[in-house]
Amino acid sequence: MPDVINANQFLEELENTHIVLFHDGNNETKETECNFIKKGLENGQHCFYTTQTPQKILDEMKEFGINVENNELLHIVEIPKEFDDYSKMILDEVKALPEEAKIRVISTHYFDFNTEEKTDRMAEIEQCVDDGFEKINGNFLCSFEVSQINQNLRDRFLNQLLESHKAIIFQTEAKGTEVFTTP
């Protein structure tokens, strides 16, 4: 049975953990993502946010009270609009993360996961990140809006992602926040 708790508190209790966040695109999710970055910056950590919409994310961070101007600890990484270009790019970005500094990463995934090929490739990418996770000195939060995943592929894909993450957060407007951890 999952625990219903505050996602922000839960994320602050984790150390060096690969986390998946499944959500319905609600405002609480945006607050969770921004708070994750804000707390990291306050702790002097390098914070990376991968997104297809950098300006939108910067505007949301400003609204949340995050200093985005000339902030050497904040790294916004624009990801390609097409999934095929994304898969190689994200693995290269993970390899380039600073090993000596404490970091936080949010990787958003707003692709239409509408084929088994895409879901299998994404699961493979997540497994590659997890396989090399000992090189990541911090927390890595992978954010997926469930409505972007084809309903016929959804259960299979979610199960694939559960295999490569140590903590799972389900955050929906209807049910609130539920948290699971894996051994």
Side-chain angles (χ1 to χ4, degrees):
M1 192 75 182
D3 295 324
V4 178
I5 66 163
N6 180 298
N8 298 324
Q9 178 185 345
F10 175 75
L11 288 169
E12 291 310 306
E13 293 171 358
L14 299 175
E15 276 193 46
N16 297 348
T17 305
H18 193 194
I19 309 138
V20 64
L21 170 62
F22 298 121
H23 60 87
D24 60 5
N26 64 62
N27 289 333
E28 186 178 4
T29 297
K30 195 46 58 188
E31 182 181 317
T32 297
E33 291 176 352
C34 285
N35 192 63
F36 181 74
I37 294 294
K38 186 176 185 177
K39 291 289 188 183
L41 294 171
E42 288 171 357
N43 292 328
Q45 298 171 337
H46 282 271
C47 294
F48 295 81
Y49 199 116
T50 68
T51 181
Q52 292 164 300
T53 57
Q55 191 57 53
K56 178 179 179 250
I57 295 303
L58 287 169
D59 291 344
E60 289 171 353
M61 287 182 179
K62 282 181 197 175
E63 286 178 32
F64 196 74
I66 297 173
N67 174 19
V68 299
E69 305 298 326
N70 301 316
N71 191 332
E72 294 178 7
L73 295 176
L74 180 61
H75 311 275
I76 304 297
V77 180
E78 185 171 8
I79 59 176
K81 301 257 185 255
E82 298 299 320
F83 180 75
D84 294 337
D85 298 328
Y86 171 75
S87 61
K88 179 184 181 330
M89 176 262 178
I90 197 65
L91 293 175
D92 289 345
E93 287 294 328
V94 168
K95 287 179 189 172
L97 292 174
E99 291 183 36
E100 70 287 348
K102 196 84 169 146
I103 65 165
R104 289 181 185 217
V105 179
I106 292 181
S107 188
T108 56
H109 305 91
Y110 289 100
F111 298 105
D112 285 325
F113 291 104
N114 53 8
T115 66
E116 280 190 20
E117 181 181 339
K118 284 183 182 177
T119 58
D120 288 348
R121 182 65 182 136
M122 191 69 231
E124 182 183 333
I125 292 167
E126 291 292 343
Q127 190 60 57
C128 287
V129 169
D130 198 58
D131 289 346
F133 202 79
E134 71 279 351
K135 296 177 185 173
I136 297 174
N137 187 16
N139 290 329
F140 200 117
L141 178 65
C142 303
S143 182
F144 290 89
E145 186 170 337
V146 175
S147 67
Q148 298 293 116
I149 305 165
N150 177 294
Q151 192 163 1
N152 295 328
L153 303 171
R154 193 171 293 160
D155 289 345
R156 180 179 171 272
F157 184 45
L158 296 182
N159 281 321
Q160 286 175 305
L161 293 177
L162 296 178
E163 293 175 11
S164 59
H165 294 82
K166 304 300 180 249
I168 300 102
I169 301 171
F170 285 96
Q171 198 166 55
T172 63
E173 196 165 357
K175 293 188 178 181
T177 301
E178 298 176 306
V179 173
F180 302 82
T181 56
T182 62

